[in-house]
């Protein structure tokens, strides 16, 4: 179950990087259908199927939210650096005396 939760967290992080919020609901619905179907076909009880569903859907959401919160700050320093011209470039563009 830990591996399932870690996999869900990674999936949520990838979704948080690549897509907007709209993708989260369809992914959770597809995962819910697959997990419940597999759990019921394997002979698990309904409560066990719900536990499997929570074990995968909550880490997906958590990974998505954590990535959405951290991602703007991760690239903030790069955007500040790109606004300033490099030192070698500014030295070449100045007229020579």
């Amino acid at each position: 179950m830990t591996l399932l939760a870690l996999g869900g967290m990674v999936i949520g992080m990838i979704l948080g990087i690549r897509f907007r919020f709209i993708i989260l609901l369809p992914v959770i619905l597809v995962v819910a259908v697959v997990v419940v179907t597999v759990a019921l076909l394997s002979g698990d009880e309904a409560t066990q199927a719900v536990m499997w569903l929570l074990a995968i859907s909550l880490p997906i959401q958590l990974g998505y939210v954590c990535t959405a919160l951290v991602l703007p700050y991760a690239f903030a320093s790069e955007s500040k650096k790109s606004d300033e011209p490099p030192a070698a470039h500014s030295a070449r563009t100045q007229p020579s005396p």
Side-chain angles (χ1 to χ4, degrees):
M1 190 166 298
T2 303
L3 186 60
L4 186 66
L6 287 174
M9 189 76 145
V10 169
I11 290 170
M13 291 169 138
I14 291 170
L15 291 174
I17 292 171
R18 294 289 296 165
F19 299 104
R20 298 282 181 212
F21 181 73
I22 294 295
I23 195 69
L24 195 59
L25 184 62
V27 168
I28 295 297
L29 291 175
V30 169
V31 166
V33 169
V34 170
V35 168
V36 169
T37 304
V38 169
L40 293 177
L41 288 177
S42 66
D44 291 339
E45 296 178 5
T47 56
Q48 186 68 26
V50 170
M51 292 302 292
W52 283 107
L53 179 60
L54 290 175
I56 187 70
S57 64
L58 291 178
I60 288 175
Q61 294 174 17
L62 185 64
Y64 183 88
V65 168
C66 289
T67 303
L69 292 175
V70 171
L71 197 60
Y73 298 110
F75 293 112
S77 62
E78 290 181 12
S79 65
K80 288 180 184 177
K81 290 179 184 177
S82 66
D83 291 341
E84 301 170 359
H89 177 70
S90 61
R92 285 185 296 181
T93 58
Q94 294 177 353
S96 59

